[in-house]
Amino acid sequence: MRRARLALGGFAAAVVVTAGCTLPAFAPRTEGQGEAAAPGSAPTWRACPEVPDELVGRGASGMRYECARVLVPRNWGSGAPTGATAGPGTGETFEIALLRIRSNKQHDRIGSLVVNPGGPGASGVDTAVYLSFGSAFGGLPAAVTDRFDIVGFDPRGVARSSPVKCIPDADLDASFGYDPDPQSQAAFDGFVDLNRRIGQRCGDRYGDQLPLYGTEQAARDMDAVRAAVGDEKLTYLGYSYGTLLGATYAQLYPDRVRALVLDGAVDPQQKLIAGSESQAKGFERAFGNFHRWCAANAGRCPIAPDARGAVTAAIDKAKVSPVRGGDGREATAGWVFYAVISSLYTESGWQELALAIDQLQAGDPAGVFKLADAYAGREDDGHYSNLFDANLAVNCADETEKPSREQIRQLQSQWRQKYPLFGPALAVGMLGCVEWPGQRDPYPTGKAVGAPPIVVVGTTGDPATPYEQTAALASMLGVGRVLTWEGEGHTAYPQTACVTTAVDAYLISLTVPREGLRCPAR
């Protein structure tokens, strides 16, 4: 989810959730990357097999992994305030970490496929590693890896690229564990205070640099990445928030676009309130689909036939008597809620959620924590990556709308009636940017005049970037071609043969999917 408290990258997050992975998949790693290339100069690539080793224990068979870093201006001079002088490591540039993956079977090379998993805050380097393992593991098909280098980059402020880190682990624990629907005024005020404290810490640490982490600045960095890999035009695969990054690039550099696949579309024209309500609606719809799946698959769903009732009861019970885990941590209402959020990113997460709620009812919160921690980027030792630090920094730099606390309080009540499980949390989640300091640097929202056709992929059951946003993004760009997957979960490529065939043909041969193409769920 792109907004405020609820934020997660698309593909990479899905990999972590479905695999039940406990590795620190989004942890900032800066060591061993070599010297950064000066702005505009060619980077020096070095072999770095330790990156996939660190993430998944090995590299993919037949793949070579190389790392480099490039320097980019901290301020590209496009609306962000000049003279940003406060904060750690203040200087003229940011370092952007790159990972290039090349198949030993590569032939007739087209160029580089640059990938971004969204968030904002998720690592493109990590995502490239996951994608390199091929279609048998949910990664890219050989038809693509045989023709392209796969290039992942961590956007400014994320993971290995001059990471933003200003939220203490204790505050993140408090935020995720907080009641997702603080109904009493005292509870609401407590959440306001927590968000104010987080904003103040980040403001004290980064000062007037905070607007420099916005999407337009990162999109301009992408052009430096394109130049660094030696491509005249950009070929790009962006998931979730990565669709906003790609759309921004297309507006800034339409003549440098070769092919863009934007999967899990964000509507750039939605402001904070509209975007938050859209997600509340999307998650409520996806949860309804989960509820119906449980009723129809009682043998695989131990909380059938009333999954909605079981989950709601578990959250309500956790508000008054949370179950304590073996490490002493309590599965409060917030942690149970984020386990639900985490599971809805992929249809394969539904059974894991049902099992986790069933185990929680029996006094074991391990399944709840496994799901919620995968979403939060929380490691076993209680340490967090900088996923949510970067998420706030980017979202709040982008966002110009700033509702009052009173307005949020009213929306919390209104959305509780319309979207009972998710509405209140999406309403109070807006406090993150309301209490965030610093100026704003909004991204452009217009047509990509002069760009070639851009493929915009939408999933009808997507909770985090609801399907309605797909056509909105394609229409805004003016050159978008919608590809629909009638499936569940967040993002579509390369999950089914129909979607994969259409996207591969576009990436390789620039064959645009036919107008109105809809791919079945199976």
Side-chain angles (χ1 to χ4, degrees):
M1 305 172 74
R2 196 182 76 81
R3 300 286 181 176
R5 282 175 81 202
L6 309 182
L8 187 63
F11 177 86
V15 170
V16 174
V17 172
T18 54
C21 181
T22 58
L23 292 169
F26 302 119
R29 288 174 287 272
T30 58
E31 70 278 6
Q33 296 294 315
E35 292 298 320
S41 63
T44 300
W45 296 91
R46 67 161 191 88
C48 54
E50 70 276 7
V51 174
D53 287 350
E54 185 178 273
L55 282 172
V56 294
R58 65 178 179 88
S61 177
M63 295 291 180
R64 304 194 305 276
Y65 299 82
E66 296 176 300
C67 291
R69 291 186 297 165
V70 296
L71 296 177
V72 297
R74 288 193 173 222
N75 186 356
W76 287 93
S78 178
T82 57
T85 56
T90 299
E92 297 298 322
T93 58
F94 283 126
E95 291 186 350
I96 305 298
L98 308 178
L99 175 70
R100 181 173 68 188
I101 305 170
R102 183 171 291 171
S103 170
N104 292 338
K105 297 180 180 179
Q106 189 181 95
H107 62 88
D108 301 315
R109 181 180 179 274
I110 296 171
S112 298
L113 175 63
V114 177
V115 299
N116 179 272
S123 166
V125 169
D126 293 357
T127 300
V129 171
Y130 298 136
L131 288 171
S132 72
F133 277 83
S135 54
F137 298 93
L140 294 172
V144 172
T145 57
D146 284 353
R147 303 296 300 279
F148 292 94
D149 297 341
I150 308 306
V151 175
F153 74 102
D154 291 347
R156 58 172 59 200
V158 174
R160 305 162 184 82
S161 295
S162 302
V164 173
K165 189 61 181 169
C166 53
I167 308 176
D169 293 337
D171 283 350
L172 286 167
D173 269 348
S175 181
F176 284 109
Y178 212 90
D179 186 346
D181 184 14
Q183 295 195 34
S184 72
Q185 191 60 45
F188 180 83
D189 291 343
F191 194 56
V192 170
D193 290 343
L194 174 58
N195 279 277
R196 184 191 301 118
R197 182 168 72 247
I198 288 172
Q200 183 175 350
R201 287 182 188 275
C202 293
D204 289 346
R205 182 166 176 78
Y206 291 98
D208 55 6
Q209 289 189 83
L210 287 176
L212 301 180
Y213 295 100
T215 294
E216 181 173 344
Q217 297 280 347
R220 294 183 182 279
D221 294 344
M222 278 176 57
D223 199 53
V225 172
R226 175 202 59 77
V229 298
D231 286 357
E232 181 180 346
K233 295 188 176 185
L234 178 70
T235 304
Y236 174 76
L237 171 61
Y239 294 100
S240 193
Y241 162 81
T243 68
L244 177 61
L245 199 56
T248 303
Y249 182 92
Q251 294 169 77
L252 296 174
Y253 307 105
D255 58 333
R256 300 178 192 174
V257 171
R258 177 185 174 273
L260 304 186
V261 176
L262 309 181
D263 186 358
V266 171
D267 179 1
Q269 296 175 305
Q270 282 188 337
K271 297 296 184 182
L272 180 60
I273 293 175
S276 296
E277 183 173 9
S278 175
Q279 286 194 322
K281 180 180 179 181
F283 272 89
E284 203 71 47
R285 180 168 56 202
F287 187 74
N289 294 343
F290 159 71
H291 169 81
R292 286 184 286 275
W293 172 85
C294 268
N297 296 271
R300 299 168 60 194
C301 181
I303 57 175
D306 185 13
R308 178 179 288 275
V311 170
T312 302
I315 292 174
D316 289 344
K317 184 177 180 181
K319 293 181 181 182
V320 294
S321 56
V323 176
R324 189 179 297 274
D327 63 353
R329 186 159 53 130
E330 291 185 336
T332 62
W335 289 114
V336 179
F337 175 78
Y338 279 102
V340 178
I341 289 288
S342 180
S343 70
L344 295 179
Y345 273 81
T346 62
E347 188 173 1
S348 58
W350 292 359
Q351 186 174 19
E352 191 170 359
L353 173 63
L355 293 171
I357 296 298
D358 185 55
Q359 292 165 359
L360 183 67
Q361 292 171 338
D364 180 5
V368 163
F369 284 134
K370 178 182 176 182
L371 280 168
D373 287 355
Y375 176 86
R378 188 184 193 273
E379 300 172 27
D380 289 342
D381 62 1
H383 176 67
Y384 287 82
S385 72
N386 85 319
L387 172 61
F388 282 88
D389 309 67
N391 181 268
L392 273 172
V394 176
N395 279 338
C396 299
D398 287 346
E399 188 56 66
T400 57
E401 186 174 54
K402 194 172 183 179
S404 67
R405 297 168 189 164
E406 293 74 19
Q407 187 177 5
I408 288 175
R409 190 74 163 136
Q410 292 171 359
L411 291 171
Q412 179 189 5
S413 178
Q414 293 170 12
W415 292 356
R416 187 183 301 120
Q417 302 304 312
K418 297 172 70 175
Y419 321 106
L421 188 56
F422 302 95
L426 266 297
V428 300
M430 291 186 287
L431 288 167
C433 281
V434 168
E435 302 300 329
W436 190 257
Q439 300 181 48
R440 303 305 198 247
D441 182 23
Y443 47 77
T445 54
K447 295 191 180 302
V449 179
I454 293 170
V455 173
V456 183
V457 187
T459 301
T460 56
D462 193 324
T465 52
Y467 178 69
E468 294 81 0
Q469 298 190 43
T470 310
L473 175 58
S475 176
M476 186 203 79
L477 290 172
V479 293
R481 177 66 60 87
V482 170
L483 171 62
T484 298
W485 182 39
E486 296 173 335
E488 300 293 338
H490 185 39
T491 75
Y493 177 74
Q495 296 193 51
T496 68
C498 175
V499 171
T500 301
T501 298
V503 171
D504 288 357
Y506 171 69
L507 289 174
I508 295 168
S509 305
L510 301 181
T511 302
V512 182
R514 64 174 171 81
E515 191 74 42
L517 178 59
R518 300 181 70 90
C519 290
R522 295 286 185 270

